[in-house]
Amino acid sequence: MSLTQELETPTEIAITVPEDVILPPRDLLSDEPPLETDLHRLQMTLLIQCLEWLWDERDDFYVSGNLTIYYSPRQRKSEEFRGPDFFVVLGTERKPRNSWVVWQEEGKYPNVIVEIISPTTADTDRGLKKQIYQDTFRTPDYFWFDPNTLELKGFHLVDGCYLELEPNQEGWLWSQQLALYLGIYDSKLRWFTAVGQLVPTPTEAAEQECQQKEQAQEQLSQMESLLARYREQFGDLPE
């Protein structure tokens, strides 16, 4: 039975639905547990902030993390599967949401998912979640990263199956969906452009802009100093 058919038969669902099935109200709230460690929280926030800064002028994507993805009105709440630590949906409206409800979002699933693994979630991230992202979500790019061991793995969906990505010389993995690399920098997972430039955080970008202004001002001061010396020795510059 298709999702559309399920939604068109609310009476049948109400009669046969088990108690632990989530029915599709208008606005489902996210139902995620807190992130396990500061490393998880900081890493998730880092990926989100950097991508939002890079795509500041775009309004055709949604990026979030640790947010429930409801993908079926018959979906059972599982202790083994909850929302991804980080995900991106392309071709959608950029606006705040309480959760990602697939049937209310034109049937769109994440284009990219990143899981931040830990000893307690590693088996699920490498097994059950990988299977769901491959077979149900059909998410083209899936990555996992261990902030403790710095293990980074990535997969791209080819003919319905995940094939492991080969890292480049820097050890980075390419996301075809985002046209960006994922790689480790200063023991953290970061985005890199196609030409190898680190995508900065908003704070780093502001610091870089400040440094560039200071350098430009210093160069201007040096030029003015040289010009003053020239005038002392030779007079004004010829017109």
Side-chain angles (χ1 to χ4, degrees):
M1 179 181 290
S2 69
L3 177 58
T4 301
Q5 290 172 320
E6 290 181 352
L7 292 177
E8 289 176 348
T9 56
T11 302
E12 178 185 348
I13 293 176
I15 294 173
T16 61
V17 65
E19 292 183 357
D20 62 348
V21 169
I22 301 172
L23 293 177
R26 294 183 60 85
D27 193 10
L28 289 167
L29 297 177
S30 183
D31 186 25
E32 298 307 301
L35 293 169
E36 292 189 27
T37 67
D38 280 343
L39 281 177
H40 284 67
R41 176 181 57 80
L42 293 171
Q43 180 62 80
M44 180 190 74
T45 303
L46 183 62
L47 292 175
I48 293 172
Q49 287 182 340
C50 290
L51 190 65
E52 287 184 330
W53 176 88
L54 181 66
W55 289 356
D56 181 59
E57 297 182 357
R58 291 180 54 170
D59 59 5
D60 61 345
F61 73 99
Y62 177 71
V63 57
S64 189
N66 200 41
L67 193 83
T68 300
I69 295 176
Y70 295 105
Y71 53 93
S72 169
R74 294 182 179 271
Q75 179 182 344
R76 295 178 183 273
K77 292 180 66 175
S78 168
E79 295 300 323
E80 297 180 344
F81 170 72
R82 290 182 179 269
D85 293 323
F86 170 92
F87 68 92
V88 182
V89 184
L90 302 176
T92 190
E93 185 179 359
R94 185 178 182 179
K95 65 178 183 180
R97 291 168 171 85
N98 292 325
S99 64
W100 185 266
V101 185
V102 170
W103 60 87
Q104 295 177 0
E105 300 284 354
E106 301 179 348
K108 293 181 182 293
Y109 286 85
N111 295 77
V112 177
I113 289 175
V114 180
E115 292 289 1
I116 313 302
I117 66 176
S118 68
T120 59
T121 66
D123 289 343
T124 300
D125 292 332
R126 297 186 180 114
L128 174 64
K129 285 191 175 183
K130 181 171 177 278
Q131 200 71 37
I132 291 174
Y133 299 154
Q134 172 186 276
D135 298 339
T136 303
F137 285 25
R138 316 294 282 178
T139 292
D141 292 341
Y142 174 47
F143 303 87
W144 69 60
F145 174 66
D146 188 328
N148 294 299
T149 67
L150 304 186
E151 174 191 353
L152 173 61
K153 295 286 185 181
F155 304 86
H156 182 68
L157 196 67
V158 178
D159 296 330
C161 295
Y162 275 141
L163 296 183
E164 186 170 346
L165 295 170
E166 291 292 332
N168 66 4
Q169 293 181 346
E170 289 79 13
W172 306 341
L173 300 177
W174 178 249
S175 169
Q176 293 187 25
Q177 294 291 296
L178 304 183
L180 294 170
Y181 283 107
L182 264 178
I184 299 171
Y185 175 82
D186 195 23
S187 298
K188 297 179 181 63
L189 191 61
R190 299 290 298 267
W191 301 110
F192 297 86
T193 67
V195 295
Q197 294 180 330
L198 176 70
V199 177
T201 66
T203 299
E204 290 170 343
E207 291 175 350
Q208 290 173 6
E209 183 178 359
C210 184
Q211 290 175 357
Q212 291 171 354
K213 289 181 178 179
E214 289 177 354
Q215 291 173 355
Q217 184 60 45
E218 183 178 350
Q219 291 174 355
L220 178 61
S221 297
Q222 291 175 350
M223 290 294 296
E224 290 176 344
S225 177
L226 289 172
L227 181 59
R229 292 180 183 178
Y230 179 91
R231 285 172 172 167
E232 287 178 359
Q233 297 183 26
F234 305 105
D236 291 336
L237 292 173
E239 296 183 1

